């Protein structure tokens, strides 16, 4: 499954998820508390809520709660990545263009927990902030241009034992 944090206000995350759902082959939803993280589904954190991945009796699910800003944001990439770092499952983290450092600490935690991590390269970023800080902290396994991330991700997934 895929979990996404996008720095957007509340109404826009629902519209964003709905638009992606119409254009993607997988199901894309604005996450609700308790939604299962599963193959073929992407969950977008609702604006003004923090989202974490937790292990439950039926697999992995998201916990979506109102909370304070972390790293200047709600939702925060750091909150999501930190939660993913704590679960024992194969995982991949990707950090894309954005201002500031949100996600850098969490991506480093993910990498230290065994995750493969991808950072968008400077040339393809609108703002080379978040991926740059994650890279400088040592949290990025591989730097990849935006237009090549999907291809790179597929090659990494094809190398993983099933």
């Amino acid at each position: 499954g895929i979990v996404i944090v996008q720095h957007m206000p509340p109404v826009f995350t629902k519209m964003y998820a709905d638009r992606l759902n119409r254009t993607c082959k997988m199901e894309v939803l604005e996450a609700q508390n308790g939604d299962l993280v599963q193959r073929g589904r992407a969950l977008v954190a609702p604006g003004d809520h923090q989202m974490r991945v937790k292990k439950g009796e039926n697999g992995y699910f998201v916990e979506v709660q109102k909370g304070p800003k972390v790293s200047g944001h709600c939702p925060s990439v750091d909150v999501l990545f930190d939660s993913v770092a704590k679960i024992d499952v194969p995982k991949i983290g990707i950090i894309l263009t954005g201002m500031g450092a949100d996600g850098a600490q969490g991506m480093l935690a993910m990498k230290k927990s065994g995750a493969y991590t991808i950072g968008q390269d400077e040339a393809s970023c609108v703002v080379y902030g978040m991926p740059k800080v994650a890279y400088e902290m040592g949290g990025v396994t591989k730097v990849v241009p935006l237009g090549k991330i999907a291809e790179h991700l597929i090659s990494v997934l094809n190398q993983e034992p099933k």
Side-chain angles (χ1 to χ4, degrees), residues 6-19 30 44-47:
Q6 179 76 28
H7 296 153
M8 296 174 129
V11 175
F12 293 99
T13 52
K14 172 78 168 115
M15 292 188 309
Y16 179 62
D18 289 347
R19 179 171 181 256
E30 182 183 53
V44 177

Side-chain angles (χ1 to χ4, degrees), residues 58-118:
N58 299 322
Y60 297 91
F61 68 95
V62 291
E63 177 184 84
V64 177
Q65 296 178 329
K66 284 217 174 231
K69 290 182 177 182
V70 174
S71 303
H73 298 280
C74 187
S76 165
V77 183
D78 274 327
V79 169
L80 177 64
F81 281 178
D82 282 339
S83 74
V84 173
K86 292 174 184 169
I87 57 178
D88 188 25
V89 62
K91 51 205 164 214
I92 297 173
I94 301 172
I95 193 162
L96 303 177
T97 187
M99 191 179 313
D102 186 31
Q105 289 283 353
M107 180 159 266
L108 180 60
M110 282 185 62
K111 186 176 177 193
K112 286 181 177 179
S113 76
Y116 186 87
T117 58
I118 299 169

Side-chain angles (χ1 to χ4, degrees), residues 15-50:
M15 292 188 309
Y16 179 62
D18 289 347
R19 179 171 181 256
L20 288 175
N21 191 52
R22 287 190 304 272
T23 60
C24 293
K25 291 183 178 181
M26 66 174 36
E27 177 184 38
V28 182
L29 303 169
E30 182 183 53
Q32 295 182 22
N33 200 45
D35 281 347
L36 291 177
V37 178
Q38 58 191 33
R39 188 179 302 248
R41 174 187 280 178
L43 300 171
V44 177
D48 206 24
H49 287 72
Q50 298 294 4

Side-chain angles (χ1 to χ4, degrees), residues 137-148:
M137 291 178 76
V140 175
T141 305
K142 182 77 173 173
V143 175
V144 182
L146 180 62
K148 300 279 187 186

